[in-house]
Amino acid sequence: MAEKAQRNQVRLRPHFKTHQSAQVGEWFRAFGVEAITVSSLHMAQYFARHGWQDIMVAFPANVLEMARINALAAHVRLHLVAVNPETVTALAQNLQHPVHLWLKIDTGYHRTGILPDNPVALDSILERVKESPLLQFAGFVAHDGHTYKQTERAAIEAIHRHTVAQLQELRVRYSRQFPQLQLSVGDTPSCSMLDELRGVDEIRPGNFVFYDLTQQRIGSNTYADIAVCMACPVVARHPERNELILYGGSVHFSKDTLPKEDGSVVYGAVVALTAEGWTEPLEGLEVVSLSQEHGVVRATAGQFAKYQIGDVLGVLPVHSCLTADLMKGYLTTEGEWLEHLSGLGRL
Amino acid sequence: MAEKAQRNQVRLRPHFKTHQSAQVGEWFRAFGVEAITVSSLHMAQYFARHGWQDIMVAFPANVLEMARINALAAHVRLHLVAVNPETVTALAQNLQHPVHLWLKIDTGYHRTGILPDNPVALDSILERVKESPLLQFAGFVAHDGHTYKQTERAAIEAIHRHTVAQLQELRVRYSRQFPQLQLSVGDTPSCSMLDELRGVDEIRPGNFVFYDLTQQRIGSNTYADIAVCMACPVVARHPERNELILYGGSVHFSKDTLPKEDGSVVYGAVVALTAEGWTEPLEGLEVVSLSQEHGVVRATAGQFAKYQIGDVLGVLPVHSCLTADLMKGYLTTEGEWLEHLSGLGRL
C-alpha cells in the first residue's frame, strides 16, 4: 500500500482503528508513514502518546468532547471532520488551539456527509469556518463504504471514479477561496483493488493491515493475505450431527456475517494452525453459528472425525477490526505479544 | 427473582456474565445470593478475588486451561460442566483439587449438551467421573436457549416443563448411583415469565439484572424494567432524509438486532434522558443501522426537528450483556461509576 501510494503520489494516512496497537503502528513508520487516521479522540490520545504527530479523527466531531479536542490540538496536528454548520460553530467558539477542519462529503454511501450537489449547505458551512482563525479549512473527505457491497473490480472502480470526480468538482468550485484545499478518500476495497488512485491528495485505508473474510469476498485480498486468526479450542463434540463446539463466540468475534449463495451465513472460516502460522480455509468445516461464547462448526463426517476435545482450530474472522477490538491483544507468529488499546482498560 | 427462587425453594445461582461487575455482584449478596454462574475461568477468577466462594463455569470445560482450573479449585467451590467423556478423563488426569462436575444436557436448544435419550453416552461419561476422587458428580445442567425464539408465555412454559420432565427422568435413572445429584436450569425468559419453577434445585438466570429489548420482545420484562441505557451524542443531522447520526456503533453496542414485522430490523430503541434516568421509548425515532462507530436514527419530521448537534439521546440496547462488555463500565443514575471486568484490561 505504501508503494502504491508513492507511485500515485498520494499521502498514505492509514486508518489505525483496525489494529489499535502502538507496536503495529511502528511497522507503518518503517514504510515512511507519518500521518494517521483514527475513529475516536481516545484513539488519537493513545497514538499521540506513542509519538504520532499528525492525526485525523475520521468521525463527525463530537462537540461534547471539547476538553479532549483542545488537549490534543495543543500537542499534535489534529484533523477533525464536520458535516453540519452547528458543529463548526461549536468548534469555533470553544477551540483553544488550531485544528485542521475537513468537510465530510457523501459521495454515495449515504451514511453521513454533505451532499456534493448542495452548494447552499456547502457555502453556509464554509462561511462558519471563518468564525475562528483556529479553524483551518483543510479540504474534503469521503468514505466509499458502498464499495463493501460490491464483488467486482469494475463496480469498485466505477464508485471510486465517481467519487473522485465529485470531489474534484468541489475543488474547482472552492479552490479560489481555499487554494490549499485537499481531497482525501479511503476505503480498503478501492485502495486494494485499483492500481490507479490519482486525483486526490491522500488515501486512508485501514483494514488492509490484517484483511479478513469480508475483504476476501469483495476481492481486496486472497485468503493468504489475511493476517489475523483466532485460536479456538474444541470444547465439545456432537457426533450425532457432526458439529464441533469451539470456545469462540460473539464476545470474541463480534457478530458480523458473510452471506452464502444459498441464503445462509457464515461466521468464520476454519483453518489448521501450523508452526509458521496457518493454512488456507479447510474444506468441509464451517462456522455456522455464534452465541456469546460458543462457536458451532458444522463438519463433513470425514472432517469431524479428525478433531478431538482440546484440539485448537484456527478461525479467520469475518471482520478483523471488531475481532481485534474484542480480543484486546495479539500474539505474533514469532511469539511476541502486541498490545491493543482496548486491552489497556477503561480510560 | 430472589423472592421467586425462595418461594419455589430453588437456589438462585445468577449468571454474572451479564454485568461482570464486582459492585453489581454486591447487590446480589444483599438478597442472600451466595452461589454464582460465570462463562469463563477469567470471570471466575475475578469474582473469586471479590469474595465469591461458590462458582459455576457454565461452559464446556476447556481442558487446555488446567492451570487456571486448579488455581481456582484450590480456593473456591468450583463447578465445571462437561459434554464429552474425553473432557472428563482430561479433568480426572490433571485435577489437583476437588471440583463439582455437572453434565450438560441438551433439552431441546441443540447447541451443545448430551441428548437425554442417549443412555449409552450418559453411562459412559458417568463411568469416567469415577476415574478421580477429585471429580464430584453434582448433577445435570440445562440451558433452554430456545425460549429466546418465543414470544408467548405458553410456549415458554411448555419448553420449561418439557426440560424439567427430561431432567427428572435422568434424576430417577441415576439417583441410586448418585443420591445427591441436583438439577439446574436457567434461562431468563422462563425464570422471568413463569411463577412456578419447581422440580429443579437451582435456577441460573443472568440477563434479568439489566434486561434489554430482546427480553422485552419475548415478554420477560417491560420497557420500564430495562436497567441499562447508552448515552449517545448527536454528531450529525441529515434534514434531507430525517436521519440523525449518533456516536454509538457496533464497537459500542455489538450487532444484535430485533426483527420487525415488516422484515426489517432495529438496533436499539431511542429514549429521552431525564434527571432520574430515562423515559419509555420515543415514538418516531428508531436506530435503523449500525456501523463501527455510527448509529443511524431514522425519525419522523416532527421528531427530527427536536434534536440538535450535541444533544444526547438514550438508546436501550438489543442485547445488554454484549453492550456492557463493550462499554467496559457503568455510570449509575446516582452518579456512581461501577467497574466491568473488561474495563480492567487484558489479563
Side-chain angles (χ1 to χ4, degrees):
Chain A
M1 197 64 80
E3 188 275 326
K4 187 185 285 192
Q6 197 170 33
R7 181 159 34 84
N8 281 280
Q9 295 179 280
V10 296
R11 183 186 312 116
L12 174 59
R13 183 191 285 282
H15 208 315
F16 275 17
K17 78 175 173 183
T18 300
H19 59 79
Q20 295 183 49
S21 173
Q23 294 107 318
V24 177
E26 295 306 312
W27 305 348
F28 285 85
R29 257 199 253 270
F31 285 91
V33 169
E34 291 182 348
I36 65 170
T37 310
V38 297
S39 56
S40 70
L41 294 167
H42 176 42
M43 239 181 264
Q45 288 173 317
Y46 171 70
F47 285 110
R49 278 203 308 278
H50 286 281
W52 294 92
Q53 285 289 316
D54 189 330
I55 306 177
M56 174 187 288
V57 184
F59 184 76
N62 177 13
V63 299
L64 302 180
E65 293 184 280
M66 282 309 307
R68 272 184 161 174
I69 288 172
N70 279 316
L72 270 162
H75 295 105
V76 305
R77 201 173 150 86
L78 183 65
H79 302 254
L80 299 179
V81 169
V83 177
N84 296 92
E86 297 83 352
T87 304
V88 179
T89 294
L91 290 173
Q93 289 171 349
N94 296 292
L95 276 176
Q96 291 158 358
H97 304 280
V99 304
H100 301 265
L101 187 72
W102 298 73
L103 296 189
K104 169 86 178 239
I105 303 300
D106 181 357
T107 49
Y109 183 27
H110 302 325
R111 182 175 63 184
T112 188
I114 308 162
L115 294 171
D117 55 359
N118 190 342
V120 175
L122 282 160
D123 289 347
S124 90
I125 191 166
L126 279 167
E127 268 312 300
R128 305 246 191 149
V129 174
K130 298 173 188 159
E131 289 173 3
S132 166
L134 297 176
L135 276 178
Q136 304 175 354
F137 179 60
F140 300 105
V141 295
H143 172 66
D144 284 343
H146 45 321
T147 57
Y148 277 62
K149 297 205 169 118
Q150 305 302 325
T151 56
E152 300 286 341
R153 178 195 299 261
I156 286 164
E157 186 153 15
I159 287 172
H160 179 73
R161 290 205 174 164
H162 182 56
T163 289
V164 173
Q166 292 176 87
L167 294 178
Q168 285 183 334
E169 271 184 49
L170 292 180
R171 170 141 64 187
V172 169
R173 195 190 299 159
Y174 292 103
S175 64
R176 193 178 319 197
Q177 210 178 336
F178 302 100
Q180 308 294 322
L181 82 81
Q182 301 210 337
L183 306 178
S184 173
V185 299
D187 55 297
T188 284
S190 299
C191 295
S192 298
M193 292 171 75
L194 309 182
D195 289 326
E196 203 169 294
L197 295 165
R198 295 178 192 273
V200 296
D201 298 286
E202 73 175 23
I203 56 172
R204 308 184 318 276
N207 180 281
F208 76 97
V209 65
F210 295 149
Y211 283 129
D212 53 30
L213 295 182
T214 299
Q215 294 292 336
Q216 188 276 333
R217 179 172 175 274
I218 294 167
S220 302
N221 58 284
T222 65
Y223 285 121
D225 295 324
I226 297 176
V228 284
C229 179
M230 287 268 283
C232 297
V234 175
V235 294
R237 297 176 83 245
H238 292 285
E240 68 280 7
R241 54 182 188 266
N242 292 328
E243 286 182 358
L244 301 167
I245 304 297
L246 300 185
Y247 189 2
S250 55
V251 294
H252 310 103
F253 285 103
S254 189
K255 223 164 175 174
D256 274 358
T257 56
L258 267 196
K260 285 181 62 183
E261 281 177 16
D262 64 2
S264 66
V265 295
V266 290
Y267 292 84
V270 180
V271 299
L273 300 177
T274 65
E276 300 76 31
W278 52 85
T279 65
E280 295 267 305
L282 300 171
E283 289 288 318
L285 291 163
E286 209 161 51
V287 184
V288 293
S289 101
L290 291 184
S291 50
Q292 253 172 282
E293 298 84 13
H294 300 71
V296 179
V297 172
R298 191 166 297 150
T300 58
Q303 284 286 28
F304 178 80
K306 291 182 194 164
Y307 301 99
Q308 308 306 323
I309 296 285
D311 285 353
V312 179
L313 293 178
V315 177
L316 303 181
V318 171
H319 192 163
S320 59
C321 311
L322 297 184
T323 304
D325 187 57
L326 285 165
M327 291 310 293
K328 307 183 173 74
Y330 310 91
L331 179 64
T332 71
T333 45
E334 287 77 33
E336 186 192 357
W337 283 97
L338 306 180
E339 72 183 31
H340 185 293
L341 173 55
S342 73
L344 304 181
R346 192 166 210 282
L347 284 207
Chain B
M1 196 64 81
E3 187 276 328
K4 188 185 284 192
Q6 196 172 32
R7 181 160 34 85
N8 281 279
Q9 294 178 282
V10 296
R11 182 188 311 115
L12 174 59
R13 183 190 285 281
H15 208 314
F16 274 19
K17 77 175 174 184
T18 300
H19 61 80
Q20 295 184 50
S21 174
Q23 294 107 316
V24 177
E26 295 306 311
W27 305 348
F28 285 84
R29 256 199 253 271
F31 285 90
V33 168
E34 291 182 344
I36 66 171
T37 310
V38 297
S39 55
S40 71
L41 293 167
H42 177 41
M43 240 181 265
Q45 288 172 317
Y46 170 70
F47 285 109
R49 278 203 308 278
H50 286 280
W52 294 92
Q53 286 288 315
D54 190 330
I55 306 178
M56 174 187 288
V57 185
F59 184 76
N62 177 13
V63 299
L64 302 179
E65 291 184 281
M66 282 309 306
R68 272 183 161 174
I69 289 171
N70 279 316
L72 269 163
H75 295 104
V76 304
R77 201 172 150 85
L78 183 67
H79 302 254
L80 298 178
V81 169
V83 177
N84 296 93
E86 297 83 350
T87 304
V88 179
T89 294
L91 291 173
Q93 288 171 351
N94 296 292
L95 276 176
Q96 291 159 358
H97 304 279
V99 304
H100 300 265
L101 187 72
W102 298 72
L103 296 188
K104 168 87 176 238
I105 303 300
D106 181 357
T107 48
Y109 183 28
H110 302 324
R111 181 175 64 182
T112 187
I114 308 161
L115 294 170
D117 56 358
N118 190 342
V120 175
L122 282 160
D123 289 348
S124 91
I125 192 166
L126 280 167
E127 268 312 300
R128 304 247 191 148
V129 175
K130 298 173 188 160
E131 289 174 4
S132 165
L134 297 176
L135 276 177
Q136 302 174 357
F137 179 59
F140 300 105
V141 295
H143 172 66
D144 285 343
H146 45 321
T147 57
Y148 277 62
K149 298 209 167 114
Q150 305 302 325
T151 55
E152 300 285 342
R153 177 194 299 261
I156 286 165
E157 186 153 15
I159 288 173
H160 179 73
R161 289 207 174 162
H162 182 55
T163 289
V164 173
Q166 291 175 87
L167 294 177
Q168 285 184 332
E169 271 185 48
L170 292 179
R171 173 142 61 188
V172 168
R173 195 190 298 158
Y174 292 104
S175 65
R176 191 178 319 196
Q177 213 176 334
F178 302 99
Q180 308 294 322
L181 82 83
Q182 300 209 336
L183 306 178
S184 173
V185 299
D187 55 298
T188 285
S190 299
C191 294
S192 298
M193 293 171 75
L194 309 182
D195 289 325
E196 202 168 295
L197 295 166
R198 295 177 192 274
V200 296
D201 299 285
E202 72 176 22
I203 58 172
R204 309 184 318 276
N207 180 280
F208 76 98
V209 64
F210 296 148
Y211 283 128
D212 53 29
L213 295 182
T214 299
Q215 294 292 336
Q216 188 276 335
R217 181 173 174 273
I218 293 166
S220 301
N221 58 283
T222 65
Y223 286 121
D225 294 325
I226 298 176
V228 285
C229 178
M230 288 268 283
C232 296
V234 176
V235 294
R237 296 176 82 245
H238 292 286
E240 68 280 7
R241 54 182 187 267
N242 291 329
E243 285 182 359
L244 301 167
I245 305 297
L246 299 185
Y247 188 0
S250 55
V251 295
H252 310 104
F253 284 104
S254 190
K255 223 165 173 173
D256 275 357
T257 55
L258 268 196
K260 285 181 60 184
E261 282 178 13
D262 64 2
S264 66
V265 296
V266 290
Y267 293 85
V270 179
V271 299
L273 300 177
T274 65
E276 300 76 32
W278 53 84
T279 64
E280 295 267 304
L282 300 171
E283 288 289 318
L285 290 163
E286 209 162 50
V287 184
V288 294
S289 101
L290 290 184
S291 50
Q292 253 173 283
E293 298 85 13
H294 301 70
V296 179
V297 172
R298 192 165 297 151
T300 58
Q303 284 286 27
F304 178 79
K306 291 183 196 163
Y307 300 100
Q308 308 305 324
I309 297 285
D311 285 353
V312 179
L313 293 178
V315 177
L316 302 182
V318 172
H319 193 162
S320 59
C321 311
L322 297 184
T323 303
D325 188 56
L326 286 165
M327 290 310 294
K328 307 184 173 75
Y330 310 91
L331 179 64
T332 70
T333 45
E334 287 78 31
E336 187 191 356
W337 283 97
L338 306 180
E339 72 183 31
H340 184 292
L341 173 56
S342 72
L344 305 181
R346 192 168 210 282
L347 283 208

